[in-house]
Amino acid sequence: MWRRSRSLEGMTHPPTSDLDLFSDEVLTDPYPSYADLRALGPVVHLPANEVYALTRYDAIRAALGGWETFSSAHGVGFNPTVNEALMGTSLASDPPQHTALRAALTENLSPRALRGLKSQIDAKADALVADLVASGSFEAIDALARALPLEIVADLVGFTGEVRGRMLAWGKAANQVIGPLNQRTAESFPIAGELYQWCSTVSKADLAEGSIGRGIFEAEERGAIPPGAAGPIIHQYLAAGVENTVSAIGNIVALFASHPDQLALVRKDPSLVPAAFNEVLRFWAPINAWGRETTRDVEIEGVVIPAGARVAILFGSGNRDPLHYDDPDTFRVERNPVDHLSLGYGVHGCAGQGLARLEAHAVIDALARRVERLVVGTPTRIPHNVTRSVHALPVLEVVTA
Amino acid sequence: MRIELDRPRCEGHGLCEEAAPSLMHLDDEGELVIDRADVGESEAALAHAAVRVCPVAALRIA
Ligand code: HEM
Ligand code: SF4
């Protein structure tokens, strides 16, 4: 206590709010709460969650760019058990340890490495969309948003057999346990544990020949990454590679269904596909909150976060900051917000974003070519500690192009 | 002003090229080539835009 009061002398404590970031209502519909928090300031202390939340664009971008102060080394989660479990992954490390792990991750995942995949992914997405459109009605999340990334990531990383059937549940649980020690986290630890267990025993031979997964083990054999680092990396591919992409593709379908005028713009000008994906990511961030820890007392616009504090980065709140984006609560594909926060930024900036773009662009492109309008039923959501996605979205009728 | 690239950090996302095609491009191997690192007043805005969009902060203005 003395350290804190001494260092805070003359400095102002951030405003406080009694909001619980992990309540069901906030998780499923966070944007009104985010607006309240932003109005209080760029940093808001949330005693209910024992975190300092970063709410405005500039503060979030600066924190993501400033790993020396906003460290990942003690984990990016909101409970000690998960932070312990994440040790050894690139996510839970700072440079210089992070640099070697990241290089191994991206050697096989960078746009360079993925160049050969574009035509395959385009063809898969187009065939899937064509089938669904022909069927006239379908459940968009299962049939498209889950189906495509599952197949693509499974093939890419080289998962075979029964593991493929567990990928979704494992990925969901691995993200769920990033949250605080609430019931959702407690229920998910055993499933996330299966994934940890599998990743700690998986070997090169378990992964398909020529796959990225094998490439990681080969990097370990060459000494390009530390001994034992391959398992945690495979873990990250599974945990990060599927669920967020499922969420993003589901969001594409849901947002185009509710904004046919925006779909019409992309139909008229297909060069808007990348811009449309940026806007989907800005408008509905697939990850609600993500953690960091301060390495020193840090001042942001006159208020101080003490050293050693847990920080919650609210990507979606920064994305809706009116100080940064004009008319932020409107979905406009022509906005092209290239600097949105949903993929992070800086040293930990999403390592799989090249792959996410390939998949999402392929889906948007196929929808824009084949669909004029989607008539949908009511989308449902299930609260999840850190990710936000549409759980089910019945498409009742497809008005074809 | 001068555009500097942290080569090991660059992953070839190419967003910088989209922002400032007159200053840089990805070659056939997917490696970033800075065509003009020293930029004048007239292109300062382009250079800043390229630095800003790099998702992994591999570019900076010195
Ligand atoms: C639209 C889909 C996606 C979203 C919204 C997303 C979001 C993010 C975010 C916000 C981070 C930064 C975490 C931090 O700052 O601590 C991140 C990191 C990461 N992502 Fe993604 N991601 C997506 C798709 C993917 C895919 C497809 C893969 C891999 C197959 C992937 C692999 C990773 C990895 C390995 C990291 C850790 C990078 C590091 O620590 O340096 N992501 N992602
Ligand atoms: S945007 Fe950044 S990572 Fe991508 S090519 Fe340009 S400098 Fe490299």
Side-chain angles (χ1 to χ4, degrees):
Chain A
M1 259 336 268
W2 62 270
R3 231 187 45 190
R4 184 160 139 177
S5 46
R6 188 184 60 174
S7 56
L8 293 182
E9 205 176 323
M11 295 281 204
T12 318
H13 189 79
T16 294
S17 159
D18 58 11
L19 186 82
D20 173 6
L21 277 180
F22 303 98
S23 70
D24 288 7
E25 309 79 67
V26 176
L27 291 173
T28 47
D29 184 20
Y31 294 104
S33 304
Y34 289 167
D36 294 344
L37 293 180
R38 275 194 311 271
L40 290 173
V43 186
V44 180
H45 184 206
L46 304 177
N49 306 128
E50 293 178 56
V51 298
Y52 290 78
L54 300 184
T55 71
R56 293 190 192 158
Y57 184 95
D58 287 347
I60 293 174
R61 173 114 169 166
L64 292 170
W67 58 266
E68 298 93 336
T69 307
F70 292 90
S71 166
S72 298
H74 294 153
V76 290
F78 298 99
N79 72 75
T81 311
V82 74
N83 286 335
E84 183 66 29
L86 283 172
M87 290 300 131
T89 66
S90 72
L91 267 180
S93 62
D94 291 335
Q97 290 80 2
H98 172 266
T99 314
L101 292 168
R102 173 87 183 191
L105 268 174
T106 52
E107 182 180 319
N108 298 292
L109 207 54
S110 69
R112 249 190 308 282
L114 297 174
R115 269 185 310 166
L117 275 180
K118 180 174 161 38
S119 56
Q120 272 177 49
I121 292 180
D122 284 349
K124 272 183 189 161
D126 194 53
L128 192 54
V129 170
D131 270 0
L132 294 174
V133 165
S135 78
S137 68
F138 53 93
E139 201 287 287
I141 307 304
D142 253 347
L144 179 58
R146 293 193 184 105
L148 187 69
L150 254 184
E151 184 183 337
I152 288 171
V153 173
D155 286 350
L156 198 73
V157 184
F159 297 122
T160 55
E162 67 182 67
V163 178
R164 289 177 81 110
R166 296 298 285 153
M167 283 175 64
L168 269 178
W170 281 354
K172 224 179 186 45
N175 283 297
Q176 196 79 272
V177 300
I178 298 275
L181 288 174
N182 57 17
Q183 191 178 346
R184 273 185 287 272
T185 297
E187 285 169 1
S188 299
F189 264 126
I191 306 168
E194 281 177 36
L195 170 59
Y196 284 114
Q197 178 61 29
W198 186 79
C199 288
S200 64
T201 54
V202 63
S203 69
K204 188 170 147 182
D206 297 322
L207 302 168
E209 199 116 5
S211 63
I212 282 192
R214 272 210 179 193
I216 304 281
F217 278 95
E218 282 154 11
E220 189 182 298
E221 286 169 3
R222 281 201 307 281
I225 53 170
I233 292 177
I234 302 289
H235 179 267
Q236 264 179 277
Y237 278 4
L238 260 167
V242 183
E243 167 138 32
N244 291 319
T245 319
V246 169
S247 168
I249 294 175
N251 291 347
I252 288 169
V253 180
L255 285 167
F256 278 136
S258 56
H259 297 79
D261 58 319
Q262 298 299 306
L263 178 58
L265 290 173
V266 183
R267 289 170 44 73
K268 213 163 74 195
D269 178 4
S271 75
L272 282 174
V273 167
F277 184 44
N278 286 331
E279 179 67 348
V280 168
L281 286 175
R282 184 196 72 84
F283 195 75
W284 279 350
I287 301 179
N288 276 333
W290 208 248
R292 290 289 193 269
E293 194 174 295
T294 49
T295 56
R296 59 176 175 85
D297 292 352
V298 49
E299 196 227 299
I300 298 176
E301 293 183 39
V303 299
V304 174
I305 308 178
R310 204 53 358 210
V311 172
I313 296 183
L314 305 181
F315 301 108
S317 181
N319 284 340
R320 299 287 191 101
D321 182 353
L323 297 173
H324 189 75
Y325 293 112
D326 180 39
D327 192 14
D329 295 325
T330 307
F331 176 73
R332 286 204 316 249
V333 296
E334 288 169 312
R335 179 196 303 271
N336 197 16
V338 285
D339 61 352
H340 70 77
L341 300 164
S342 294
L343 294 165
Y345 170 68
V347 294
H348 293 280
C350 179
Q353 58 185 288
L355 182 60
R357 278 196 194 94
L358 283 180
E359 296 179 46
H361 291 179
V363 169
I364 297 174
D365 184 69
L367 285 172
R369 273 183 293 103
R370 296 182 178 276
V371 175
E372 190 175 312
R373 203 159 50 82
L374 296 170
V375 181
V376 296
T378 311
T380 56
R381 291 181 186 276
I382 294 179
H384 181 289
N385 280 337
V386 295
T387 67
R388 179 171 180 270
S389 60
V390 179
H391 175 70
L393 178 66
V395 173
L396 308 173
E397 189 194 334
V398 182
V399 180
T400 53
Chain B
M1 79 174 40
R2 192 175 163 75
I3 305 175
E4 285 186 354
L5 173 66
D6 182 344
R7 175 75 57 191
R9 197 179 270 191
C10 172
E11 295 170 358
H13 294 287
L15 304 185
C16 56
E17 176 182 4
E18 281 169 39
S22 58
L23 301 180
M24 55 197 70
H25 74 278
L26 288 175
D27 69 13
D28 294 342
E29 304 296 309
E31 288 283 347
L32 185 68
V33 179
I34 308 236
D35 298 302
R36 270 182 306 124
D38 292 299
V39 291
E41 207 46 39
S42 62
E43 284 169 322
L46 271 182
H48 280 289
V51 169
R52 186 158 176 81
V53 297
C54 175
V56 292
L59 288 170
R60 62 187 193 100
I61 301 274

